[in-house]
Amino acid sequence: MRERQGRAVGARSAARSKPESFGRLRVTVDDREGYALVTVAGEVDVTTGSQLREPLHELVEQRKHRHVVDLREVTFLDSTGLGILVSDHKRLRDRDGSLHVVVTTPGIVARVFRLTGVDRVVPLVHTVEEAETALTTAP
């Protein structure tokens, strides 16, 4: 299990991280049998989006093409987050893979998906178990 989180206060690098992203997003990747479970907690926006994008790209590079992204602990999701998930969906589809997104309904994240129409492109489920079932019944 790997975890990514914002840089500690006071920590600096040559690229100078944005301090406002500290502690606002946590992404955990867990390799499961047949798929990768990516659990996300916090706010997904333009300042934190790379913390979600990078592990999803790494999974594809590792030839892991079945992703379940659990967003039940996400408190804010903007167009950056939606774009990352739509891109992941397309990249996986092109490799005969799949993406399932776990959301709480009713909830702010499910509402964003519904209002933007992304729920018609990216499959939404309510539990990880529901995603597992969808993965086993997929062709």
Side-chain angles (χ1 to χ4, degrees):
M1 187 182 304
R2 293 172 293 173
E3 189 172 306
R4 292 181 181 264
Q5 198 164 6
R7 193 176 299 266
V9 175
R12 300 204 187 264
S13 70
R16 290 195 153 222
S17 68
K18 296 184 186 242
E20 64 271 14
S21 69
F22 169 71
R24 289 184 34 222
L25 186 68
R26 186 177 71 248
V27 177
T28 304
V29 176
D30 187 18
D31 290 320
R32 299 279 179 101
E33 189 172 324
Y35 70 96
L37 174 62
V38 181
T39 305
V40 185
E43 300 177 10
V44 184
D45 60 26
V46 69
T47 62
T48 62
S50 64
Q51 291 174 250
L52 175 58
R53 183 182 302 108
E54 290 172 10
L56 292 173
H57 282 226
E58 288 174 14
L59 287 169
V60 172
E61 288 174 11
Q62 297 168 6
R63 300 188 191 281
K64 296 177 183 174
H65 298 151
R66 297 172 72 176
H67 301 173
V68 173
V69 178
D70 186 347
L71 300 180
R72 291 178 293 180
E73 294 183 42
V74 169
T75 57
F76 180 81
L77 180 77
D78 73 358
S79 60
T80 302
L82 285 174
I84 290 166
L85 293 167
V86 168
S87 293
D88 191 52
H89 170 72
K90 289 178 181 178
R91 190 172 22 266
L92 294 171
R93 185 189 61 210
D94 291 346
R95 291 164 175 80
D96 295 323
S98 64
L99 167 67
H100 289 79
V101 176
V102 183
V103 296
T104 302
T105 304
I108 188 70
V109 174
R111 185 170 184 218
V112 169
F113 273 84
R114 210 172 38 257
L115 289 172
T116 58
V118 174
D119 64 333
R120 292 185 299 246
V121 177
V122 176
L124 301 181
V125 293
H126 300 103
T127 65
V128 172
E129 293 76 20
E130 209 177 316
E132 289 174 344
T133 301
L135 288 171
T136 59
T137 60

